[in-house]
Amino acid sequence: MKNKILLIYTGGTIGMIKDNAENTLIPFNFYELLKAIPELKSDELDLVNISIQKPIDSSNMNPTVWIEIVQLIEVNYEEYDGFVILHGTDTMAFSASAISLMLKNLNKSVILTGSQIPIGVRRTDAKENLITSVEIAASGKVKEVCIYFENQLYKGNRTVKINTDHFEAFESPNYPILAEAGVNIKYKSYLEKGSSKNLKLNTEMSNNVAVLKLFPGITIETTKAIINSAKGIVIESYGAGNAPTNPGFIKVFKNATSNGKILINITQCLHGSVVEGKYETSELFRKSGVICGRDLTTEAAVTKLMFLLGNDLNNDDIKIQLQTNLRGEITN
Ligand code: ASP
């Protein structure tokens, strides 16, 4: 029997052409994409392609489009063996995290991929990325949301974009890769086992969140303004979770949490984890009611906060869930 794979096009460099008048890249008609990769036609594969209503450069990504994507997966879930989402690289890691949270009890593959060079350009990386993503989706071995890029399969909610120039554009700094594509595709033991329960969709996402990135010299006024701008704040602190010990900062954090805001502390470092209490400068966070985000990436922390705030939970539950491993996004 043929494997049925649904290709969902959302935009990004992979499907772009040059607008000669402006000399910029603009999205092109998705159906041209399959003409560009005849290798995708196979006797063992039934590949169907659809597109979101209005393909975008992924810098324009937002929760409404995430909802459109997960709804497309839900309505087609029974009919297809796997899903490949063509997506711009800029916000692919955010989308992978969001989609992993919005889809519960996943038992099929959802692979996001894209490219650094447009499909129509001779040195494009799009062909390999797309062909191997489809092969992985059809393998039946992957039952979670992943990013495939330049020979590596990453856990979606652990991935970050790390390079604008290289074909190796992504990394999952605190989680091993899930598969490696060489002559053969080698699947690793870190893959999720899948769920026997029915797929459950959750489309409630709040955008009442902000990111506060600390830097030497940041003022209390700026800190306060960012914290006041949203209900949930991801604090990107220094090293193992440290912040200035100036009492003015501590007061801002303490007031915010006492007034019902949710603050979560993650590190600016690419690798490693927040360890609150390791230094005095991080212990102050704990005493101020700031949640320890351990090794969550910024992308996962932001989307997890959007997801939990969107779901009408009380603050205590949100704080517990933030530190609970829901889809493999945080190390216990
Ligand atoms: N700006 C593009 C996007 O994210 C970049 C890419 O696809 O690589 O949509």
Side-chain angles (χ1 to χ4, degrees), residues 146-323:
C146 301
I147 288 180
Y148 177 79
F149 219 86
E150 194 59 15
N151 303 327
Q152 315 260 311
L153 185 72
Y154 305 99
K155 194 174 195 71
N157 51 34
R158 292 293 194 137
T159 310
V160 288
K161 183 173 179 183
I162 48 132
N163 210 308
T164 58
D165 277 350
H166 292 180
F167 288 133
E168 294 90 1
F170 291 92
E171 197 182 313
S172 63
N174 289 317
Y175 203 84
I177 55 162
L178 303 180
E180 197 159 13
V183 174
N184 298 306
I185 301 173
K186 287 197 184 126
Y187 294 91
K188 313 281 181 181
S189 57
Y190 305 101
L191 284 159
E192 295 288 337
K193 303 279 173 287
S195 169
S196 53
K197 297 187 185 143
N198 287 340
L199 180 76
K200 216 171 145 214
L201 207 67
N202 192 324
T203 54
E204 303 302 323
M205 297 291 273
S206 163
N207 52 14
N208 199 359
V209 299
V211 177
L212 168 65
K213 182 167 186 156
L214 300 182
F215 59 90
I218 188 171
T219 63
I220 289 177
E221 288 67 39
T222 302
T223 306
K224 225 192 252 171
I226 295 172
I227 288 180
N228 283 341
S229 71
K231 157 102 179 168
I233 296 95
V234 174
I235 303 172
E236 281 192 12
S237 63
Y238 306 127
N242 307 313
T245 49
N246 175 333
F249 283 104
I250 312 303
K251 205 168 141 205
V252 174
F253 297 141
K254 230 181 208 158
N255 280 347
T257 56
S258 326
N259 289 329
K261 297 212 182 244
I262 310 282
L263 272 56
I264 178 163
N265 177 19
I266 60 167
T267 173
Q268 294 178 11
C269 296
L270 184 57
H271 295 261
S273 178
V274 165
V275 188
E276 281 185 353
K278 184 169 178 189
Y279 297 95
E280 181 206 6
T281 43
S282 65
E283 181 61 5
L284 296 166
F285 266 140
R286 205 177 54 77
K287 289 193 180 140
S288 312
V290 176
I291 299 298
C292 176
R294 301 202 289 270
D295 60 353
L296 282 171
T297 61
T298 303
E299 290 83 343
V302 167
T303 52
K304 192 170 183 182
L305 209 43
M306 292 171 105
F307 176 73
L308 296 174
L309 288 173
N311 272 279
D312 234 6
L313 303 168
N314 64 43
N315 278 5
D316 287 340
D317 284 340
I318 293 178
K319 288 177 186 170
I320 292 168
Q321 297 281 314
L322 272 173
Q323 295 185 90

Side-chain angles (χ1 to χ4, degrees), residues 14 84-88 92 111-115 129-130 133 148-149:
I14 191 161
V84 174
I85 302 173
L86 299 176
H87 194 293
M92 192 187 287
I111 316 284
L112 287 91
T113 196
S115 69
N129 285 346
L130 178 50
S133 293
Y148 177 79
F149 219 86

Side-chain angles (χ1 to χ4, degrees), residues 100-140:
S100 77
L101 292 164
M102 294 164 88
L103 296 172
K104 195 174 174 193
N105 304 333
L106 198 58
N107 201 34
K108 295 183 179 180
S109 53
V110 175
I111 316 284
L112 287 91
T113 196
S115 69
Q116 293 281 62
I117 299 184
I119 194 91
V121 175
R122 194 145 35 144
R123 289 187 57 248
T124 187
D125 49 334
K127 288 191 184 183
E128 197 284 322
N129 285 346
L130 178 50
I131 292 168
T132 307
S133 293
V134 169
E135 206 160 313
I136 291 172
S139 72

Side-chain angles (χ1 to χ4, degrees), residues 12-13 56-59 88-91 115-116 161:
T13 294
I56 48 172
D57 182 299
S58 81
S59 308
T89 58
D90 288 346
T91 60
S115 69
Q116 293 281 62
K161 183 173 179 183

